[in-house]
Amino acid sequence: MSICLSLTSADISLTKEVVAIIGTVGALAIGILGLNTWRRQLHGTSKFEVAKNILTTTYKIEDAIQAVRSPMLHLRKEGVEEGRTLEEEQRIYAERLQRLNEKRAELRTLALEARAIWGGKTTSMQFKT
């Protein structure tokens, strides 16, 4: 028994349409998978950047605290000659504390950004003013 397959012009056009539909659905599926992967990557990158910025700022705060605690003072010559040594020391410590407070404010801002990204998981990261 022999089986002969004969394709007519109607069968070819129908086959082309079916293949086109399957190709379109496949392209849509690949596109959706690609967009989901891209969205996850962007979300992960933003989480990583915020965590890195928080850690970097924490190290900057640590350095600023060490600077505030440093006993080394560079007094201005004019202030010492005029007998204003105490005022010069206060000025130096005020500048050091100002730098520390700026870094703490930066960390508070990053904590708000982290709370926006991670939600309630950052409740242990509260900073007192």
Side-chain angles (χ1 to χ4, degrees):
M1 184 193 291
S2 69
I3 300 175
C4 287
L5 296 175
S6 64
L7 295 174
T8 62
S9 63
D11 292 337
I12 291 175
S13 66
L14 179 64
T15 304
K16 284 178 13 182
E17 288 179 16
V18 168
V19 169
I21 290 172
I22 291 173
T24 304
V25 170
L28 282 174
I30 291 172
I32 290 171
L33 288 174
L35 286 175
N36 283 336
T37 302
W38 180 55
R39 182 180 52 82
R40 281 194 326 251
Q41 179 187 3
L42 284 178
H43 192 66
T45 302
S46 65
K47 283 182 176 183
F48 173 77
E49 284 296 319
V50 169
K52 184 180 82 167
N53 290 340
I54 287 173
L55 186 60
T56 304
T57 305
T58 303
Y59 287 140
K60 289 178 183 178
I61 288 175
E62 181 181 355
D63 291 342
I65 290 171
Q66 290 298 330
V68 168
R69 297 182 69 200
S70 173
M72 188 68 168
L73 299 175
H74 300 283
L75 303 175
R76 293 182 188 161
K77 183 179 178 182
E78 302 85 29
V80 174
E81 289 174 350
E82 294 174 4
R84 296 185 331 216
T85 306
L86 181 61
E87 289 85 5
E88 284 296 309
E89 289 179 9
Q90 289 174 343
R91 179 191 58 79
I92 290 171
Y93 281 115
E95 288 174 1
R96 290 177 180 178
L97 284 172
Q98 178 63 30
R99 278 187 238 123
L100 175 62
N101 287 332
E102 288 171 2
K103 296 299 175 193
R104 288 182 66 216
E106 185 180 337
L107 186 61
R108 275 190 234 109
T109 303
L110 289 171
L112 288 174
E113 187 176 349
R115 192 178 310 152
I117 290 175
W118 290 312
K121 298 176 188 173
T122 61
T123 56
S124 64
M125 193 187 315
Q126 296 178 0
F127 304 101
K128 297 180 181 178
T129 56

